[in-house]
């Protein structure tokens, strides 16, 4: 039986097509309209019954008229036919760039006389092997072109059809592009630099014969442990719904944990809301590189199809994803989201050295993942639910470094050499996560906790006493916070109305394990474009209009004017609010030769775990780990009684793990 459509389910191709058909009938969009994004209006949709029509919004552009609109509409449902609502004008420069628009300008640029002339100076006369990637220009628009919808291009060359173009940058060339007219307005030529003399192919057999790897099989003879009904998933006391949007890609809704007979909410919504990638190099082909990959392009259309045995192992359930392309058509990304279980080493263990008895439980996690390919880079996003009530987000960075050319005999001052005449600039990756909390219900508060040495000598005569100091973050003006491992900083999200048996407010703990700071001059474009990276955690009171940390339309937006730093001005109370957390996961990437020509996965992430939420360890009901009696039998050689005076310390004895894990192996191609 097919589950009735829930308001949070991903939009279907039928819904996308019926709405765009109504939009196309309007004369104001012209003969060659362009589209960007369609999404459910979640604030309006939350109260809808299953099967009802859903409120959506999308952007349509008429490039010939330098005009754009945000259109609201309803999809058809049991209660209504599809219909259009309002048309609100949008600054025509500012909608995101679709893959179709990017391909169109790349084709036009490749055949443009200005680019052909510049390439000929470098000995390149066959432009069929030239790539042009249109890049975000926000903050670097030339003063005489401020009213135009612009991009700038990075230029690459392949020596053959199967060559890796991202290994051969055409140095010194910066075409300034008009996205509406599909024209090169001008080209900056900073001088001819020798092309890379060495290829950067990474396909099998390029650098010698493949090594031998023993087969590793992941099997579940009785099938997976999860249940899927439509887009609702249940597993090991957890339940949640899977959503997918144009801007964010994978979204998790209504995450709850069943504690006995009680369904206890944890998060109402969780997604990676934005990605910011600033390059920290003054080279003329690199200093403009700073991207909002979600807000200026969109995670949904950049999502890659996943393959069994390559991206996910074991018993897999895939969800297709559907997006609106730049031409107004519905596109399906087959197997866009992967759901599977993994073994995750030891969950808990203890060896009683006095009796020789050992108890161990292996950890299993449920992983919900998708991968996005953004030109040269590939990013994997893995939400994991654990049997002890914990939630983790792991972000995997791989793909190809974005490189620049460098002249003979020079060394890069702001990056690393990775190949002859090729340097990889130092850069950073920031991921703004949105977590709408619902710890035991809607009324939550944020508490920052840090460690301090007890200064009172009467309370601390030996000098080793430490107290954990809690500070309630009362309002938004104080809700931009910094992680600090030197003070053991973490955050509790507490329910303001429910306490545990010790009288503490029930809570979850947020730990930001991977953070960095922006190494850029204050007042620079890089700093002003993304002021949210100045903190490691933000908190706001829920407002359905505040969807994205960078605002609705960050492409060619005025710097510092929109998004979370503007929202903070309202200084709304947060104690007992419907709370939205915005953790900022970041990494400072100083490249190395071993990341060339393709980068082994680099992992960063965050952790959200129960902290006084349960009465005790919630995984005590797990059965002994399957693996024979040796998983919980007396340890070999245990001597029973312990000799007097023998010193024992509270360490795990023999916690080595020799298991085969159900980890994934990723390999994607670009769009």
């Amino acid at each position: 039986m097919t589950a009735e459509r829930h308001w949070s389910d991903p939009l279907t191709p039928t819904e996308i097509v019926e709405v765009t058909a109504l939009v196309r009938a309007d004369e104001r969009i012209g003969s060659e309209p362009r589209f960007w994004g369609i999404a459910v209006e979640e604030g309006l949709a939350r109260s809808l019954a299953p099967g009802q029509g859903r409120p959506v919004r999308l952007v349509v552009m008429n490039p010939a008229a330098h005009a754009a609109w945000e259109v609201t509409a309803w999809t058809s449902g049991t209660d209504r036919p599809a219909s259009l609502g309002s048309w609100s004008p949008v600054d025509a420069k500012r909608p995101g760039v679709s893959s179709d628009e990017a391909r169109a300008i790349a084709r036009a640029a490749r055949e443009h006389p200005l680019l052909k002339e510049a390439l000929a100076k470098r000995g390149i006369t066959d432009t069929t092997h030239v790539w042009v990637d249109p890049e975000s220009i926000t903050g670097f628009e030339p003063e005489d072109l401020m009213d135009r919808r612009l991009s700038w291009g990075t230029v690459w060359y392949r020596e053959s059809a199967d060559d890796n173009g991202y290994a051969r940058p055409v140095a010194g060339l910066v075409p300034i592009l008009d996205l509406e007219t599909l024209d090169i307005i001008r080209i900056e030529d900073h001088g001819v630099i020798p092309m890379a003399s060495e290829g950067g192919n990474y396909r099998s057999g390029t650098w010698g014969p493949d090594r031998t790897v023993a087969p590793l099989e992941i099997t579940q003879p009785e099938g997976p442990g999860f249940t899927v009904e439509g887009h609702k998933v249940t597993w090991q006391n957890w339940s949640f719904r899977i959503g997918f949007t144009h801007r964010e890609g994978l979204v998790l809704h209504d995450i709850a944990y069943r504690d006995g007979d009680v369904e206890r909410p944890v998060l109402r919504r969780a997604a990676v809301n934005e990605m910011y990638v600033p390059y920290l190099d003054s080279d003329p082909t690199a200093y403009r590189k700073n991207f909002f990959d979600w807000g200026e392009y969109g995670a949904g259309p950049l999502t890659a199809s996943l393959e069994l045995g390559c991206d996910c192992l074991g018993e897999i359930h895939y969800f297709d994803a559907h997006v609106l392309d730049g031409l107004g058509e519905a596109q399906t990304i087959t197997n866009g989201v992967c759901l599977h279980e993994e073994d995750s080493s030891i969950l808990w263990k203890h060896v009683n050295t006095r009796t020789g008895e050992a108890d161990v439980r292996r950890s299993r996690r449920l992983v919900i993942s998708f991968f996005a390919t953004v030109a040269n880079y590939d990013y994997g996003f893995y939400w994991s639910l654990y049997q002890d009530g914990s939630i983790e987000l792991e972000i995997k960075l791989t793909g190809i470094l974005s490189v620049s050319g460098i002249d003979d005999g020079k060394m890069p001052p702001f990056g690393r050499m990775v190949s002859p005449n090729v340097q990889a600039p130092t850069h950073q990756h920031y991921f703004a996560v949105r977590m709408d909390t619902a710890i035991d219900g809607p009324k939550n508060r944020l508490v920052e906790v840090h460690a301090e040495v007890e200064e009172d000598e009467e309370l601390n005569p030996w000098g080793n006493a430490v107290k954990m100091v809690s500070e309630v973050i009362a309002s938004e003006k104080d809700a931009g916070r910094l992680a600090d491992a030197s003070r053991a900083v973490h955050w509790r999200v507490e329910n303001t109305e429910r306490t545990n048996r010790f009288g503490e407010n029930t809570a979850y703990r947020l730990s930001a394990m991977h953070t960095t700071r922006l190494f850029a001059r204050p007042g620079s474009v890089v700093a002003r474009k993304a002021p949210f990276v100045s903190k490691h955690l933000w908190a706001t009171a829920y407002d359905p209009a505040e969807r994205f940390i960078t605002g609705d339309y960050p492409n060619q937006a005025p710097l510092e004017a929109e998004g979370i730093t503007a929202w903070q001005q309202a200084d709304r109370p947060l104690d007992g609010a419907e709370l939205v957390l915005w953790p900022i996961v970041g990494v400072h990437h100083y490249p190395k030769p071993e990341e060339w020509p393709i980068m082994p996965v680099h992992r960063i992430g965050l952790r959200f775990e129960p902290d006084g939420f349960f009465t005790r360890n919630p995984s005590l009901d797990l059965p002994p780990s399957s693996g024979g009696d040796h998983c919980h039998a007396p340890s070999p050689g245990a001597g029973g009684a312990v000799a007097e005076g023998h010193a024992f310390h509270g360490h795990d004895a023999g916690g080595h793990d020799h298991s085969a894990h159900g980890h994934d192996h990723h390999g994607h191609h670009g769009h």
Side-chain angles (χ1 to χ4, degrees):
M1 181 179 175
T2 303
E4 235 181 337
R5 184 182 67 200
H6 188 266
W7 75 262
S8 65
D9 289 351
L11 286 167
T12 66
T14 298
E15 290 178 296
I16 294 171
V17 167
E18 66 184 5
V19 170
T20 54
L22 294 173
V23 173
R24 287 181 189 279
D26 195 291
E27 293 182 356
R28 76 188 92 178
I29 70 174
S31 59
E32 295 183 329
R34 300 178 194 169
F35 294 78
W36 192 79
I38 184 169
V40 174
E41 288 274 22
E42 296 181 11
L44 293 175
R46 286 167 60 181
S47 61
L48 295 177
Q52 288 187 312
R54 296 191 280 181
V56 299
R57 66 176 186 144
L58 72 156
V59 175
V60 62
M61 294 167 271
N62 181 345
H66 189 59
W69 299 267
E70 180 181 288
V71 182
T72 62
W74 283 84
T75 67
S76 62
T78 56
D79 59 330
R80 64 173 67 234
S83 62
L84 293 184
S86 62
W87 289 64
S88 302
V90 174
D91 186 337
K93 301 177 300 188
R94 294 185 55 183
V97 179
S98 72
S99 296
D100 300 278
E101 193 171 37
R103 283 190 287 267
I105 188 62
R107 285 192 299 268
R110 195 166 55 233
E111 298 303 319
H112 199 283
L114 285 177
L115 185 61
K116 285 188 171 184
E117 180 184 354
L119 290 169
K121 294 178 183 178
R122 292 156 171 81
I124 300 172
T125 56
D126 181 3
T127 59
T128 60
H129 288 161
V130 172
W131 291 346
V132 179
D133 280 349
E135 313 281 16
S136 159
I137 202 169
T138 305
F140 290 104
E141 299 93 332
E143 288 189 10
D144 60 329
L145 303 174
M146 293 295 290
D147 61 336
R148 296 171 71 169
R149 180 169 166 82
L150 299 175
S151 184
W152 67 282
T154 49
V155 185
W156 315 88
Y157 179 66
R158 297 173 298 156
E159 291 191 343
S160 62
D162 62 350
D163 193 15
N164 174 15
Y166 288 124
R168 300 185 193 275
V170 181
L173 286 187
V174 181
I176 306 300
L177 310 171
D178 188 312
L179 291 175
E180 292 180 320
T181 63
L182 302 181
D183 189 26
I184 294 181
I185 301 170
R186 63 178 71 121
I187 287 186
E188 298 176 12
D189 192 334
H190 297 273
V192 177
I193 290 176
M195 294 288 295
S197 58
E198 182 179 284
N201 206 322
Y202 47 84
R203 308 302 294 273
S204 177
T206 302
W207 303 97
D210 292 344
R211 71 177 74 176
T212 300
V213 179
L216 185 148
E217 299 293 335
I218 306 299
T219 61
Q220 291 181 273
E222 298 179 9
F226 53 79
T227 301
V228 178
E229 183 181 357
H231 287 83
K232 183 177 181 179
V233 180
T234 55
W235 174 84
Q236 290 288 304
N237 296 331
W238 286 106
S239 64
F240 60 94
R241 304 193 69 95
I242 286 180
F244 191 90
T245 71
H246 185 100
R247 180 89 168 245
E248 298 163 300
L250 173 64
V251 181
L252 302 183
H253 295 275
D254 300 334
I255 303 172
Y257 192 96
R258 178 165 289 278
D259 184 11
D261 295 326
V262 180
E263 194 90 359
R264 301 177 67 184
V266 176
L267 290 171
R268 198 178 67 206
R269 191 184 195 279
V272 177
N273 190 257
E274 185 58 274
M275 174 164 58
Y276 182 52
V277 186
Y279 281 72
L280 309 178
D281 184 356
S282 57
D283 182 273
T285 60
Y287 75 84
R288 295 178 182 88
K289 288 185 180 180
N290 61 105
F291 316 113
F292 290 142
D293 285 315
W294 282 192
E296 292 171 332
Y297 302 98
L302 299 176
T303 296
S305 293
L306 305 175
E307 297 182 23
L308 180 62
C310 298
D311 300 292
C312 303
L313 299 180
E315 294 287 336
I316 309 301
H317 186 98
Y318 289 112
F319 297 86
D320 293 344
H322 312 289
V323 296
L324 174 67
D325 71 13
L327 304 177
E329 304 293 336
Q331 299 294 337
T332 295
I333 302 167
T334 305
N335 299 349
V337 174
C338 174
L339 174 73
H340 72 292
E341 293 175 279
E342 290 183 353
D343 178 84
S344 186
S345 189
I346 302 301
L347 178 59
W348 55 263
K349 172 178 178 149
H350 182 62
V351 177
N352 186 328
T353 55
R354 289 165 174 78
T355 66
E357 292 179 335
D359 275 280
V360 61
R361 301 294 186 271
R362 292 199 67 80
S363 175
R364 189 174 298 186
R365 62 186 175 193
L366 185 68
V367 184
I368 313 100
S369 64
F370 82 108
F371 241 89
T373 298
V374 187
N376 53 291
Y377 254 107
D378 298 75
Y379 301 91
F381 301 91
Y382 292 73
W383 289 96
S384 294
L385 306 180
Y386 289 84
Q387 293 160 308
D388 65 352
S390 298
I391 301 172
E392 284 185 352
L393 170 64
E394 183 178 57
I395 302 169
K396 301 181 181 181
L397 295 79
T398 181
I400 304 168
L401 295 167
S402 184
V403 296
S404 307
I406 189 168
D407 212 346
D408 291 334
K410 290 189 175 180
M411 291 295 288
F414 309 114
R416 296 287 296 277
M417 294 294 295
V418 294
S419 186
N421 296 108
V422 178
Q423 67 113 350
T426 301
H427 59 283
Q428 296 180 318
H429 302 261
Y430 292 94
F431 301 88
V433 183
R434 174 179 166 181
M435 301 170 68
D436 295 32
T437 69
I439 306 301
D440 266 337
K443 294 188 177 182
N444 290 179
R445 69 172 165 229
L446 179 66
V447 179
E448 182 170 286
V449 183
H450 70 273
E452 289 183 7
V453 173
E454 176 56 66
E455 299 296 344
D456 187 331
E457 292 191 8
E458 289 188 10
L459 297 175
N460 187 16
W462 312 111
N464 66 325
V466 64
K467 58 186 178 183
M468 301 304 292
V469 180
S470 297
E471 175 191 356
V472 175
I473 309 304
S475 69
E476 289 177 327
K477 70 179 175 62
D478 296 320
R481 314 302 298 180
L482 290 171
D484 186 351
S486 70
R487 297 190 304 131
V489 168
H490 64 269
W491 297 278
R492 282 169 51 91
V493 182
E494 298 181 347
N495 182 286
T496 57
E497 299 177 327
R498 183 167 176 176
T499 57
N500 60 26
R501 63 174 176 163
F502 305 112
E504 301 172 319
N505 294 86
T506 60
Y508 258 64
R509 177 186 301 190
L510 176 66
S511 300
M513 296 97 70
H514 298 97
T515 59
T516 187
R517 57 166 286 236
L518 183 64
F519 295 93
R521 185 184 302 135
S524 65
V525 170
V526 169
R528 294 174 62 214
K529 179 176 176 178
F532 71 85
V533 304
S534 65
K535 305 293 183 181
H536 300 139
L537 177 67
W538 301 86
T540 58
Y542 173 74
D543 182 335
E546 295 174 355
R547 305 171 183 90
F548 309 110
I549 197 169
T550 52
D552 284 347
Y553 300 105
N555 187 44
Q556 290 190 249
L559 302 181
E560 298 181 294
E562 300 173 7
I564 199 161
T565 50
W567 306 339
Q568 296 282 319
Q569 310 288 329
D571 195 24
R572 292 165 294 193
L574 296 179
D575 194 345
E578 285 192 61
L579 200 61
V580 182
L581 300 185
W582 308 83
I584 311 301
V585 179
V587 59
H588 185 82
H589 190 177
Y590 183 46
K592 55 186 181 180
E594 291 85 354
E595 294 173 330
W596 188 258
I598 193 164
M599 178 179 153
V601 161
H602 186 91
R603 295 171 171 84
I604 58 177
L606 59 78
R607 183 171 174 83
F608 197 52
E609 58 191 328
D611 184 353
F613 187 79
F614 297 108
T615 300
R616 57 182 61 83
N617 181 347
S619 65
L620 293 173
D621 59 348
L622 287 176
S625 300
S626 59
D629 290 340
H630 67 270
C631 282
H632 48 89
S635 295
V642 180
E644 287 294 324
H646 193 97
F648 284 88
H649 303 282
H651 293 277
D652 177 273
H656 298 289
D657 176 27
H658 303 285
S659 67
H661 300 289
H663 290 301
D664 48 296
H665 303 275
H666 293 279
H668 293 269
H669 50 81
H671 286 204

